[in-house]
Amino acid sequence: MSIIRFDQRRRSARPPKSARRDTITPALAVIALLSVCTLGWIAADSFLPGGGQAVVASEMRVQFRMCGSGQRHTCVVDGDTIWLDGMNLRLQAYDTPEPYDDICGGAQEVALAKRASARLLDLLNSNSFSVETFGTDRYDRTLATIRIGGTDVGDILISEGLARRWPDGHEFWC
């Protein structure tokens, strides 16, 4: 058995590693936190609808027609979806019936859908309008509001009984 004696002269003047102040770890933690916050800000700006701000175009006049097979440049798909210069726009805050006879309202829904689509076509072709965009929906359509003289076209269609508020309106065509 060997005995190790404490020798005061061999003791280091530096404190042991465990007692030293670690300055690297807090600095790395701050850098990591700033990186995560920056990435979160970029992701929110890119992926949230509208990215926090709307884009408004100036007043325009464009000639639309009803969309046909393969025609998807500047046309009306239905009462709440259009193509404008190759961009698919889902007009938000209102909903119109779908022009398919196998949906809940059958032939009556199809007839109302055609009236809503024709009215939107007439509104767009008869007036200058502005477009305000707000990001995209789950189908990768650009969410938009179209205003004629400051009034949302959805409000016009709702007041004429051709659409309902979305998402809280009653689906009256079913």
Side-chain angles (χ1 to χ4, degrees), residues 38-77:
T38 302
L39 289 174
W41 177 64
I42 291 169
D45 196 42
S46 299
F47 298 115
L48 290 178
Q53 59 181 325
V55 177
V56 181
S58 60
E59 291 275 321
M60 63 178 81
R61 282 193 78 94
V62 178
Q63 275 306 116
F64 285 83
R65 59 183 163 177
M66 292 304 295
C67 292
S69 60
Q71 202 280 334
R72 296 280 193 246
H73 186 70
T74 299
C75 59
V76 173
V77 175

Side-chain angles (χ1 to χ4, degrees), residues 30-163:
V30 168
I31 291 170
L33 181 63
L34 288 173
S35 299
V36 168
C37 290
T38 302
L39 289 174
W41 177 64
I42 291 169
D45 196 42
S46 299
F47 298 115
L48 290 178
Q53 59 181 325
V55 177
V56 181
S58 60
E59 291 275 321
M60 63 178 81
R61 282 193 78 94
V62 178
Q63 275 306 116
F64 285 83
R65 59 183 163 177
M66 292 304 295
C67 292
S69 60
Q71 202 280 334
R72 296 280 193 246
H73 186 70
T74 299
C75 59
V76 173
V77 175
D78 60 25
D80 55 32
T81 307
I82 66 169
W83 284 84
L84 178 60
D85 293 330
M87 183 186 312
N88 192 0
L89 300 178
R90 170 55 169 99
L91 306 180
Q92 60 180 16
Y94 76 98
D95 186 36
T96 59
E98 298 300 326
Y100 312 109
D101 60 4
D102 61 342
I103 307 291
C104 63
Q108 288 180 315
E109 180 176 1
V110 172
L112 186 58
K114 288 181 180 180
R115 287 191 0 239
S117 300
R119 180 62 175 138
L120 180 61
L121 179 70
D122 179 56
L123 286 168
L124 295 174
N125 285 339
S126 304
N127 300 282
S128 59
F129 56 89
S130 64
V131 178
E132 189 175 359
T133 61
F134 303 92
T136 58
D137 68 3
R138 63 183 174 169
Y139 302 110
D140 206 32
R141 298 175 296 187
T142 300
L143 297 170
T145 298
I146 293 181
R147 296 185 190 283
I148 296 173
T151 302
D152 185 337
V153 293
D155 291 338
I156 296 170
L157 294 174
I158 290 167
S159 72
E160 295 176 0
L162 299 171

